[in-house]
Each structure stands twice: as C-alpha cells, then as structure tokens.
Amino acid sequence: MGYKVAIALGGNALGNTPEEQIKAVKTTAKSIVSLVEQGNKVIIGHGNGPQVGMINLAMETGHLADPKIPAMPFPECGAMSQGYIGYHLQNALRNEFDRRNRNVPVVTVVTQVLVDKDDPAFDDPAKPIGAFYTEKEAQEISMKKGYQFKEDAGRGYRRVVASPKPVDIVEKESIRHLYEAGDVIVAGGGGGIPVIEKDDQYVGVPAVIDKDFTTGKLAELVDADVLVILTAVDQVAINFGQENEKWLDKMSMDECNQYIEEGQFAPGSMLPKIEAAMAFVESKEGRKALITSLEKADDALAGNTGTWIE
C-alpha cells in the first residue's frame, strides 16, 4: 500500500540553464516514476530561483536596451517560469512512463497562491532577484520603477521582494480533482504566483513564496500522508560539518523546536525546510514529513534512509 505523497523538488533536481535542466529532469523523472510504480500517488512542487531570475534579467535587459520592449512584471515572470519548468518536467515524466509502458497522465497547473496583503514580509523585502547594479544604477531604477534594492555581499545592489507565507491555493479544486483521478501533477511552481485579494479580485504582487511551504499547502490540499522535501543531502544533520556531526533518522516536534532554538539549521538553507515540514505535520494528526535527497527518495519512503519528522 503506497502513500499519498507531495514532493518538493529542490534546485539540484532542475539545474540552472535550459540545457542543464533538460538533463537534470531526466534523472528526476526516473526517481518520481519509480515512486509511482511503487503505488504512491504523487503531486510535485518545485523551486524556480535560477529560472525566474534568468527570465527577469532577460526582460529587464531588453527593456533597458530598448524602451519599446515592454517591462515584464515579476508575477508574469513567475508564471513564465512555471510553464517552462513544468514543460520540462511533464515531458521527462511522460517519456519515462512511456519507456516503462505505463499510461499515467501528467499535467502542469499554472498556480496562483494567495498571500496575506498584511504579511509582515511586505514591510521588509529581503529576497534578492535579478541582476546586480551599482549604487547609482540602483537609485536611478528605484526612482523610475519604485523598486527596492539592497547591497548583496559586496557584489553590488539587487532588487529585493517580499517572501510572504502561503495562505491558500487558488486552483485548489482543479488540483484536487486531477489528483483524485490519478494524474501526476506539477503545481505551485516556484512557490506559486503570489496574489492578494483586492476589491474582491485576485491581484498579482511582486514576491517570492518559499516552495517548501507552498508544497506543504498542496500536501494539505490533497490530504497527503507524507510531505517529501528533497534536498542535496540524504538526511538532516545537527552540528553539521563539525567533529560531533550527527545524522538524524527521525525528529519529534519537540526535538525540531530544540534544534531550531540551538541554531542548528541555517536560515537560508535547512531551516525553512524544517519549518515547512513541521507546519504540515501539525496540520492534521497522522501526517509525516520526510527530508532526503532525490536519489534516495524511494529508499527513504521505505524507511531505509532520510529524516522523518512526526
């Protein structure tokens, strides 16, 4: 008997360029198809950091070179990345299913994700996107466009946007119907296209939602048993990189909180994965989360590796 599984794919499963991505998703597809063959029902979320940055940079560069080329709002850049990554994923998955003589529908849903317009993240945008600029260039663009910029590790100034928490999935009914029908679904790409409610309408906003939190919302939506967060390591470690480094097979919620208080998990790396896993586990009794690598996903679901949070 398999699990109902929501998978959050990290950047290592996608690559940084179109050529890298086409190659990477072939390996990714093999692992996901194997999970389906083992009887698991699968929905997939993914990041889009390099991809949306590439799209945003191309659009900005074109517009600055020739004002006749329209500037592209950031939510639209996110939508473009969802379609582009979704195409590569569903193509690779479809080909892998065909290779194994399995007729399993695969579909990408361009997904809007509702965020709270009063989320504190909007008061302090901190997520860097796009190109590097000199201080003077950043000031000029800020005057023209109203963008906010921050200095980035001595490399120049970059535009920053908010990273609010997901509240709801706009296309949830369609996604739920597709999942119950047995489709393998790619949704919530890049954390989803952030929208707020304004005048009884959904309006896109320039922001980046963490893909692990959005995949957790997708997992709640389809009533998944397990949220699988895939990363570069097979297991979570405490005292990472030190002599007393310890790899963990499982963590309770109390242990998660303890390790967070100790500062065991890096804010820009493992911490959001742990927090997303905890949010899903707390959302309903019996739900579990698993953090592991793409290569070991099937072994981890079988209980042979990975870090389980219950």
Side-chain angles (χ1 to χ4, degrees), residues 247-268:
W247 298 94
L248 305 174
D249 296 322
K250 60 183 179 179
M251 286 189 289
S252 67
M253 299 299 285
D254 287 342
E255 287 171 327
C256 287
N257 284 316
Q258 175 190 332
Y259 296 144
I260 289 172
E261 287 180 10
E262 293 174 0
Q264 292 283 357
F265 308 124

PDB file of all heavy atoms in Angstrom, residues 247-268:
ATOM      1  N   TRP A 247      23.919  12.604  11.987  1.00  0.00           N
ATOM      2  CA  TRP A 247      22.834  12.487  11.010  1.00  0.00           C
ATOM      3  C   TRP A 247      21.627  11.859  11.681  1.00  0.00           C
ATOM      4  O   TRP A 247      21.757  10.907  12.453  1.00  0.00           O
ATOM      5  CB  TRP A 247      23.294  11.654   9.815  1.00  0.00           C
ATOM      6  CG  TRP A 247      24.443  12.294   9.089  1.00  0.00           C
ATOM      7  CD1 TRP A 247      25.778  12.049   9.294  1.00  0.00           C
ATOM      8  CD2 TRP A 247      24.368  13.318   8.100  1.00  0.00           C
ATOM      9  NE1 TRP A 247      26.539  12.851   8.480  1.00  0.00           N
ATOM     10  CE2 TRP A 247      25.700  13.638   7.736  1.00  0.00           C
ATOM     11  CE3 TRP A 247      23.313  13.988   7.481  1.00  0.00           C
ATOM     12  CZ2 TRP A 247      25.998  14.604   6.777  1.00  0.00           C
ATOM     13  CZ3 TRP A 247      23.609  14.948   6.534  1.00  0.00           C
ATOM     14  CH2 TRP A 247      24.923  15.250   6.189  1.00  0.00           C
ATOM     15  N   LEU A 248      20.451  12.399  11.398  1.00  0.00           N
ATOM     16  CA  LEU A 248      19.241  12.031  12.140  1.00  0.00           C
ATOM     17  C   LEU A 248      18.302  11.176  11.305  1.00  0.00           C
ATOM     18  O   LEU A 248      17.974  11.530  10.167  1.00  0.00           O
ATOM     19  CB  LEU A 248      18.506  13.301  12.585  1.00  0.00           C
ATOM     20  CG  LEU A 248      19.317  14.302  13.403  1.00  0.00           C
ATOM     21  CD1 LEU A 248      18.507  15.571  13.641  1.00  0.00           C
ATOM     22  CD2 LEU A 248      19.749  13.688  14.734  1.00  0.00           C
ATOM     23  N   ASP A 249      17.855  10.066  11.882  1.00  0.00           N
ATOM     24  CA  ASP A 249      16.857   9.223  11.229  1.00  0.00           C
ATOM     25  C   ASP A 249      15.454   9.784  11.414  1.00  0.00           C
ATOM     26  O   ASP A 249      14.589   9.610  10.549  1.00  0.00           O
ATOM     27  CB  ASP A 249      16.890   7.799  11.802  1.00  0.00           C
ATOM     28  CG  ASP A 249      18.206   7.090  11.525  1.00  0.00           C
ATOM     29  OD1 ASP A 249      18.750   7.285  10.422  1.00  0.00           O
ATOM     30  OD2 ASP A 249      18.683   6.364  12.414  1.00  0.00           O
ATOM     31  N   LYS A 250      15.212  10.428  12.548  1.00  0.00           N
ATOM     32  CA  LYS A 250      13.887  10.975  12.831  1.00  0.00           C
ATOM     33  C   LYS A 250      14.005  12.110  13.833  1.00  0.00           C
ATOM     34  O   LYS A 250      14.991  12.227  14.566  1.00  0.00           O
ATOM     35  CB  LYS A 250      12.950   9.893  13.371  1.00  0.00           C
ATOM     36  CG  LYS A 250      13.415   9.231  14.649  1.00  0.00           C
ATOM     37  CD  LYS A 250      12.450   8.115  15.055  1.00  0.00           C
ATOM     38  CE  LYS A 250      12.950   7.428  16.332  1.00  0.00           C
ATOM     39  NZ  LYS A 250      12.025   6.348  16.764  1.00  0.00           N
ATOM     40  N   MET A 251      12.958  12.947  13.850  1.00  0.00           N
ATOM     41  CA  MET A 251      12.864  14.027  14.827  1.00  0.00           C
ATOM     42  C   MET A 251      11.414  14.162  15.274  1.00  0.00           C
ATOM     43  O   MET A 251      10.501  14.086  14.446  1.00  0.00           O
ATOM     44  CB  MET A 251      13.321  15.365  14.231  1.00  0.00           C
ATOM     45  CG  MET A 251      14.812  15.512  14.032  1.00  0.00           C
ATOM     46  SD  MET A 251      15.270  17.230  13.577  1.00  0.00           S
ATOM     47  CE  MET A 251      14.641  17.321  11.907  1.00  0.00           C
ATOM     48  N   SER A 252      11.233  14.389  16.559  1.00  0.00           N
ATOM     49  CA  SER A 252       9.917  14.749  17.069  1.00  0.00           C
ATOM     50  C   SER A 252       9.756  16.257  16.932  1.00  0.00           C
ATOM     51  O   SER A 252      10.710  16.987  16.663  1.00  0.00           O
ATOM     52  CB  SER A 252       9.794  14.346  18.535  1.00  0.00           C
ATOM     53  OG  SER A 252      10.685  15.127  19.335  1.00  0.00           O
ATOM     54  N   MET A 253       8.539  16.738  17.138  1.00  0.00           N
ATOM     55  CA  MET A 253       8.317  18.178  17.078  1.00  0.00           C
ATOM     56  C   MET A 253       9.115  18.899  18.167  1.00  0.00           C
ATOM     57  O   MET A 253       9.664  19.980  17.933  1.00  0.00           O
ATOM     58  CB  MET A 253       6.821  18.477  17.214  1.00  0.00           C
ATOM     59  CG  MET A 253       5.977  17.866  16.109  1.00  0.00           C
ATOM     60  SD  MET A 253       6.410  18.466  14.472  1.00  0.00           S
ATOM     61  CE  MET A 253       5.687  20.082  14.525  1.00  0.00           C
ATOM     62  N   ASP A 254       9.191  18.308  19.351  1.00  0.00           N
ATOM     63  CA  ASP A 254       9.964  18.926  20.436  1.00  0.00           C
ATOM     64  C   ASP A 254      11.433  19.023  20.053  1.00  0.00           C
ATOM     65  O   ASP A 254      12.092  20.036  20.328  1.00  0.00           O
ATOM     66  CB  ASP A 254       9.808  18.115  21.732  1.00  0.00           C
ATOM     67  CG  ASP A 254       8.447  18.290  22.368  1.00  0.00           C
ATOM     68  OD1 ASP A 254       7.750  19.271  22.014  1.00  0.00           O
ATOM     69  OD2 ASP A 254       8.081  17.450  23.208  1.00  0.00           O
ATOM     70  N   GLU A 255      11.950  17.971  19.427  1.00  0.00           N
ATOM     71  CA  GLU A 255      13.361  17.999  19.017  1.00  0.00           C
ATOM     72  C   GLU A 255      13.594  19.043  17.932  1.00  0.00           C
ATOM     73  O   GLU A 255      14.617  19.743  17.937  1.00  0.00           O
ATOM     74  CB  GLU A 255      13.779  16.608  18.529  1.00  0.00           C
ATOM     75  CG  GLU A 255      13.940  15.601  19.657  1.00  0.00           C
ATOM     76  CD  GLU A 255      14.128  14.181  19.151  1.00  0.00           C
ATOM     77  OE1 GLU A 255      13.556  13.832  18.091  1.00  0.00           O
ATOM     78  OE2 GLU A 255      14.855  13.415  19.819  1.00  0.00           O
ATOM     79  N   CYS A 256      12.642  19.165  17.008  1.00  0.00           N
ATOM     80  CA  CYS A 256      12.759  20.198  15.974  1.00  0.00           C
ATOM     81  C   CYS A 256      12.863  21.582  16.611  1.00  0.00           C
ATOM     82  O   CYS A 256      13.741  22.390  16.250  1.00  0.00           O
ATOM     83  CB  CYS A 256      11.552  20.159  15.034  1.00  0.00           C
ATOM     84  SG  CYS A 256      11.520  18.765  13.879  1.00  0.00           S
ATOM     85  N   ASN A 257      11.977  21.861  17.544  1.00  0.00           N
ATOM     86  CA  ASN A 257      11.990  23.162  18.216  1.00  0.00           C
ATOM     87  C   ASN A 257      13.289  23.385  18.984  1.00  0.00           C
ATOM     88  O   ASN A 257      13.848  24.491  18.983  1.00  0.00           O
ATOM     89  CB  ASN A 257      10.794  23.285  19.159  1.00  0.00           C
ATOM     90  CG  ASN A 257       9.488  23.558  18.420  1.00  0.00           C
ATOM     91  OD1 ASN A 257       9.436  24.380  17.519  1.00  0.00           O
ATOM     92  ND2 ASN A 257       8.428  22.855  18.798  1.00  0.00           N
ATOM     93  N   GLN A 258      13.769  22.336  19.634  1.00  0.00           N
ATOM     94  CA  GLN A 258      15.021  22.439  20.392  1.00  0.00           C
ATOM     95  C   GLN A 258      16.192  22.774  19.472  1.00  0.00           C
ATOM     96  O   GLN A 258      16.980  23.689  19.751  1.00  0.00           O
ATOM     97  CB  GLN A 258      15.300  21.118  21.118  1.00  0.00           C
ATOM     98  CG  GLN A 258      16.653  21.097  21.851  1.00  0.00           C
ATOM     99  CD  GLN A 258      17.013  19.702  22.347  1.00  0.00           C
ATOM    100  OE1 GLN A 258      16.136  18.882  22.621  1.00  0.00           O
ATOM    101  NE2 GLN A 258      18.305  19.429  22.445  1.00  0.00           N
ATOM    102  N   TYR A 259      16.277  22.052  18.349  1.00  0.00           N
ATOM    103  CA  TYR A 259      17.395  22.275  17.430  1.00  0.00           C
ATOM    104  C   TYR A 259      17.305  23.655  16.765  1.00  0.00           C
ATOM    105  O   TYR A 259      18.320  24.283  16.494  1.00  0.00           O
ATOM    106  CB  TYR A 259      17.426  21.178  16.364  1.00  0.00           C
ATOM    107  CG  TYR A 259      17.685  19.787  16.899  1.00  0.00           C
ATOM    108  CD1 TYR A 259      17.070  18.663  16.331  1.00  0.00           C
ATOM    109  CD2 TYR A 259      18.551  19.590  17.974  1.00  0.00           C
ATOM    110  CE1 TYR A 259      17.310  17.394  16.820  1.00  0.00           C
ATOM    111  CE2 TYR A 259      18.797  18.316  18.473  1.00  0.00           C
ATOM    112  CZ  TYR A 259      18.163  17.222  17.889  1.00  0.00           C
ATOM    113  OH  TYR A 259      18.403  15.963  18.375  1.00  0.00           O
ATOM    114  N   ILE A 260      16.075  24.122  16.505  1.00  0.00           N
ATOM    115  CA  ILE A 260      15.915  25.466  15.947  1.00  0.00           C
ATOM    116  C   ILE A 260      16.404  26.510  16.943  1.00  0.00           C
ATOM    117  O   ILE A 260      17.122  27.460  16.578  1.00  0.00           O
ATOM    118  CB  ILE A 260      14.436  25.720  15.567  1.00  0.00           C
ATOM    119  CG1 ILE A 260      14.055  24.886  14.335  1.00  0.00           C
ATOM    120  CG2 ILE A 260      14.204  27.206  15.283  1.00  0.00           C
ATOM    121  CD1 ILE A 260      12.581  24.918  14.016  1.00  0.00           C
ATOM    122  N   GLU A 261      16.054  26.337  18.233  1.00  0.00           N
ATOM    123  CA  GLU A 261      16.498  27.278  19.268  1.00  0.00           C
ATOM    124  C   GLU A 261      18.017  27.274  19.399  1.00  0.00           C
ATOM    125  O   GLU A 261      18.630  28.306  19.683  1.00  0.00           O
ATOM    126  CB  GLU A 261      15.859  26.910  20.611  1.00  0.00           C
ATOM    127  CG  GLU A 261      14.369  27.239  20.696  1.00  0.00           C
ATOM    128  CD  GLU A 261      13.763  26.855  22.037  1.00  0.00           C
ATOM    129  OE1 GLU A 261      14.549  26.515  22.955  1.00  0.00           O
ATOM    130  OE2 GLU A 261      12.534  26.904  22.170  1.00  0.00           O
ATOM    131  N   GLU A 262      18.636  26.117  19.160  1.00  0.00           N
ATOM    132  CA  GLU A 262      20.096  26.000  19.242  1.00  0.00           C
ATOM    133  C   GLU A 262      20.790  26.576  18.007  1.00  0.00           C
ATOM    134  O   GLU A 262      22.022  26.675  17.977  1.00  0.00           O
ATOM    135  CB  GLU A 262      20.503  24.526  19.394  1.00  0.00           C
ATOM    136  CG  GLU A 262      20.091  23.903  20.713  1.00  0.00           C
ATOM    137  CD  GLU A 262      20.379  22.398  20.768  1.00  0.00           C
ATOM    138  OE1 GLU A 262      20.902  21.859  19.757  1.00  0.00           O
ATOM    139  OE2 GLU A 262      20.097  21.777  21.804  1.00  0.00           O
ATOM    140  N   GLY A 263      20.008  26.938  16.972  1.00  0.00           N
ATOM    141  CA  GLY A 263      20.590  27.464  15.750  1.00  0.00           C
ATOM    142  C   GLY A 263      21.243  26.412  14.882  1.00  0.00           C
ATOM    143  O   GLY A 263      22.194  26.693  14.144  1.00  0.00           O
ATOM    144  N   GLN A 264      20.723  25.192  14.953  1.00  0.00           N
ATOM    145  CA  GLN A 264      21.330  24.088  14.207  1.00  0.00           C
ATOM    146  C   GLN A 264      21.102  24.173  12.697  1.00  0.00           C
ATOM    147  O   GLN A 264      21.854  23.588  11.924  1.00  0.00           O
ATOM    148  CB  GLN A 264      20.771  22.745  14.716  1.00  0.00           C
ATOM    149  CG  GLN A 264      21.182  22.377  16.116  1.00  0.00           C
ATOM    150  CD  GLN A 264      22.614  21.859  16.186  1.00  0.00           C
ATOM    151  OE1 GLN A 264      23.297  21.723  15.180  1.00  0.00           O
ATOM    152  NE2 GLN A 264      23.077  21.568  17.393  1.00  0.00           N
ATOM    153  N   PHE A 265      20.058  24.882  12.279  1.00  0.00           N
ATOM    154  CA  PHE A 265      19.683  24.869  10.866  1.00  0.00           C
ATOM    155  C   PHE A 265      19.851  26.260  10.260  1.00  0.00           C
ATOM    156  O   PHE A 265      19.308  27.246  10.771  1.00  0.00           O
ATOM    157  CB  PHE A 265      18.240  24.388  10.708  1.00  0.00           C
ATOM    158  CG  PHE A 265      17.967  23.085  11.407  1.00  0.00           C
ATOM    159  CD1 PHE A 265      16.942  22.978  12.350  1.00  0.00           C
ATOM    160  CD2 PHE A 265      18.739  21.959  11.155  1.00  0.00           C
ATOM    161  CE1 PHE A 265      16.680  21.782  12.997  1.00  0.00           C
ATOM    162  CE2 PHE A 265      18.492  20.758  11.809  1.00  0.00           C
ATOM    163  CZ  PHE A 265      17.465  20.668  12.735  1.00  0.00           C
ATOM    164  N   ALA A 266      20.577  26.339   9.154  1.00  0.00           N
ATOM    165  CA  ALA A 266      20.872  27.618   8.506  1.00  0.00           C
ATOM    166  C   ALA A 266      19.599  28.262   7.966  1.00  0.00           C
ATOM    167  O   ALA A 266      18.803  27.596   7.297  1.00  0.00           O
ATOM    168  CB  ALA A 266      21.872  27.405   7.371  1.00  0.00           C
ATOM    169  N   PRO A 267      19.393  29.558   8.218  1.00  0.00           N
ATOM    170  CA  PRO A 267      18.158  30.241   7.809  1.00  0.00           C
ATOM    171  C   PRO A 267      17.875  30.169   6.314  1.00  0.00           C
ATOM    172  O   PRO A 267      16.740  30.034   5.897  1.00  0.00           O
ATOM    173  CB  PRO A 267      18.398  31.687   8.261  1.00  0.00           C
ATOM    174  CG  PRO A 267      19.352  31.572   9.394  1.00  0.00           C
ATOM    175  CD  PRO A 267      20.248  30.424   9.049  1.00  0.00           C
ATOM    176  N   GLY A 268      18.891  30.265   5.479  1.00  0.00           N
ATOM    177  CA  GLY A 268      18.643  30.252   4.037  1.00  0.00           C
ATOM    178  C   GLY A 268      18.723  28.883   3.413  1.00  0.00           C
ATOM    179  O   GLY A 268      18.672  28.745   2.190  1.00  0.00           O
TER     180      GLY A 268
END
